[in-house]
Amino acid sequence: MTTPTDRQYASSHEWIKEDGEVSIVGITDFAQDQLGDVVYVELPEVGRVVTAGETVAVVESVKTASDIYSPASGEIVEVNEALSGSPELINEGALEGGWLFKIRVDTLSPDLIDAAGYDAANG
């Protein structure tokens, strides 16, 4: 799968995509593939103020549990409620319907990389 160029990536396999006044955050296709079948997702609380690099969610698969780190500082404004009943949406479309949360960004992590940099690090 081609890594989309319309977003930025963290070395810990999160992506962030600007969408108007907020940004959408999820995990990469590479990450969901490495995790295997996702069986549970613990999402952050709406209204929570987070710092870039802070653990904000947990994705559990049949293999392991993985912490999800915020790629930006700001306020969580929405979570993907569909994941509560259907965590497999992450496996079916980690880059679209399997997004995790939306954040009103104050500042992006200075460590984010573009698609080419992410592919080079994980190719």
Side-chain angles (χ1 to χ4, degrees), residues 3 113-123:
T3 303
I113 54 178
D114 64 11
Y118 183 80
D119 285 344
N122 297 288

Side-chain angles (χ1 to χ4, degrees), residues 51-63:
T51 303
E54 180 180 340
T55 302
V56 292
V58 177
V59 174
E60 292 184 17
S61 71
V62 293
K63 293 182 186 178

Side-chain angles (χ1 to χ4, degrees), residues 60-100:
E60 292 184 17
S61 71
V62 293
K63 293 182 186 178
T64 188
S66 185
D67 288 339
I68 305 301
Y69 305 96
S70 181
S73 297
E75 180 185 355
I76 306 294
V77 295
E78 184 180 342
V79 296
N80 188 350
E81 297 287 354
L83 296 177
S84 296
S86 301
E88 69 276 4
L89 290 172
I90 291 175
N91 296 118
E92 294 168 5
L95 298 171
E96 295 303 330
W99 60 275
L100 299 174

Side-chain angles (χ1 to χ4, degrees), residues 92-115:
E92 294 168 5
L95 298 171
E96 295 303 330
W99 60 275
L100 299 174
F101 61 91
K102 294 184 180 181
I103 184 170
R104 184 172 294 109
V105 175
D106 289 334
T107 55
L108 290 172
S109 168
D111 300 325
L112 295 176
I113 54 178
D114 64 11

